[in-house]
Amino acid sequence: RLIDDYWDLDSEVADAYLDIAPVSIGFLSSTFDQRYDNGFGPHVKVALRLISARGKKVIYAGTVRYGWKYAEAMSVGLIIESPEEHKFESRESPRLQNKESVQFLSYGIEAVASGIAKKITTDQLISIAVVEIDTEAYDKSLWNEALVKAECDVTKRKPYYIELRVRQLNAETMSSASNSVQNNPPTSLNPVGSVNLTGTYHSDITTNNNRVFNQRGHRRVKIKFEQIGKCIIGTNRHANLTISGIREDDKISFFALPSDITDSEIKGTWKISADGTRIEGKWTHPDGSGKWNLTKAE
């Protein structure tokens, strides 16, 4: 079992301790689950904790399991599936084929050991990426690339950033040369069209008395645009307004997420002037529609 008290541990060189306890090692039958063929496969499960050497605080805790796929619904933590060829057909086979049994279990133990390192590392890197997003200290080029991968959908931007950032941090632990992503952003992030729309625009919105854009301040709201490749992101923090659009030449198809201005999504299209100083188009909403024109601030 795992150690109850870590305060007796002392080391001048260790940054952390890894406490591992085997929960079960052997062969498991799948006969009770009708979704899978009968058989007996290797089963290795361990519990683990990573403890800081100085404060004796638990940095990470979880389980790692190696074995049959069917047990995924019954387990938590990391699950590593065993190869199909490591399966025995009968209950007596693991005893009769002792040499193969030991090899299969040894393979599983090595897989668990590798899985522990990968699981701890990945979780820590995910935590780094999440903190970067929360504090707006994210890698700018990866943040932009994540938006492009999300096809300009701002609601999907964060998971793509986490995926890209974890991959980058993993590479950096192996080679310092992996910083090429930051130094050489993908060409897909280059502006589309002759004019980049990044900047602040004043809105001129027409509406009726359907409570969409009913307040005069809402009809004159300022929008801060950022163009990343074909993606157009517009924001107004005072109104909690976020606009996401895709630019194709001189046209933008956009939608605005629910905000202080409206309680549901607004959709529409804009056409961009040749110099990028005017954007004109229409908006639609379940309760109405109108014009939405923008003029770039001086």
Side-chain angles (χ1 to χ4, degrees):
R1 65 179 186 178
L2 296 171
I3 299 173
D4 294 325
D5 187 357
Y6 297 101
W7 284 104
D8 290 338
L9 301 177
D10 189 23
S11 173
E12 296 180 356
V13 295
D15 295 317
Y17 302 101
L18 182 60
D19 186 10
I20 303 175
V23 177
S24 56
I25 299 177
F27 284 82
L28 188 67
S29 168
S30 62
T31 54
F32 66 89
D33 195 318
Q34 299 300 318
R35 294 173 300 168
Y36 297 87
D37 295 334
N38 295 344
F40 299 85
H43 176 79
V44 179
K45 184 176 181 179
V46 300
L48 63 109
R49 289 195 197 116
L50 187 66
I51 297 89
S52 63
R54 179 172 296 181
K56 304 300 187 293
K57 293 183 178 180
V58 177
I59 302 171
Y60 176 84
T63 60
V64 177
R65 180 191 172 283
Y66 171 85
W68 291 102
K69 185 178 181 180
Y70 70 82
E72 288 183 5
M74 304 163 51
S75 303
V76 294
L78 177 64
I79 301 170
I80 305 169
E81 187 177 353
S82 59
E84 180 67 21
E85 58 268 23
H86 288 188
K87 170 183 172 183
F88 290 110
E89 296 299 329
S90 70
R91 182 182 297 273
E92 297 300 320
S93 296
R95 295 191 196 86
L96 297 175
Q97 298 173 248
N98 184 266
K99 183 177 180 180
E100 289 81 357
S101 299
V102 173
Q103 289 176 343
F104 296 165
L105 286 176
S106 297
Y107 183 95
I109 292 171
E110 291 177 6
V112 167
S114 176
I116 289 172
K118 185 180 293 186
K119 177 66 174 173
I120 292 174
T121 301
T122 301
D123 283 5
Q124 288 178 326
L125 297 184
I126 289 174
S127 297
I128 290 172
V130 170
V131 169
E132 289 177 346
I133 294 173
D134 291 343
T135 59
E136 297 187 359
Y138 42 73
D139 181 293
K140 180 68 173 178
S141 64
L142 292 185
W143 187 240
N144 291 346
E145 186 178 352
L147 183 64
V148 174
K149 284 185 173 292
E151 297 181 344
C152 307
D153 187 342
V154 292
T155 63
K156 299 178 182 178
R157 189 181 203 176
K158 290 183 180 180
Y160 276 104
Y161 176 82
I162 292 172
E163 178 186 342
L164 291 168
R165 185 62 170 141
V166 168
R167 189 184 306 165
Q168 183 189 63
L169 291 170
N170 259 321
E172 287 177 353
T173 61
M174 300 173 63
S175 171
S176 59
S178 63
N179 292 324
S180 59
V181 175
Q182 289 179 301
N183 298 330
N184 301 292
T187 55
S188 62
L189 301 185
N190 291 336
V192 176
S194 57
V195 179
N196 190 304
L197 298 182
T198 299
T200 302
Y201 289 74
H202 297 281
S203 295
D204 181 12
I205 301 172
T206 64
T207 185
N208 49 32
N209 294 324
N210 56 25
R211 293 175 298 185
V212 181
F213 296 119
N214 193 37
Q215 296 183 34
R216 185 169 298 277
H218 292 168
R219 301 200 298 268
R220 297 289 184 266
V221 65
K222 287 184 180 180
I223 307 294
K224 183 179 180 181
F225 280 125
E226 182 180 13
Q227 179 174 340
I228 303 168
K230 64 179 181 179
C231 303
I232 307 295
I233 302 300
T235 56
N236 181 296
R237 294 194 175 185
H238 296 293
N240 296 314
L241 177 64
T242 299
I243 300 170
S244 183
I246 299 179
R247 177 176 179 176
E248 297 293 344
D249 298 324
D250 64 343
K251 291 183 175 61
I252 301 173
S253 299
F254 72 90
F255 68 92
L257 297 173
S259 65
D260 294 347
I261 292 175
T262 176
D263 59 0
S264 58
E265 187 177 283
I266 298 172
K267 297 181 180 180
T269 56
W270 282 314
K271 185 173 181 179
I272 309 164
S273 65
D275 58 4
T277 60
R278 285 282 293 175
I279 303 174
E280 299 180 349
K282 297 181 179 180
W283 61 269
T284 61
H285 181 274
D287 294 332
S289 62
K291 293 182 180 179
W292 190 341
N293 300 327
L294 301 113
T295 304
K296 192 168 188 178
E298 296 294 336

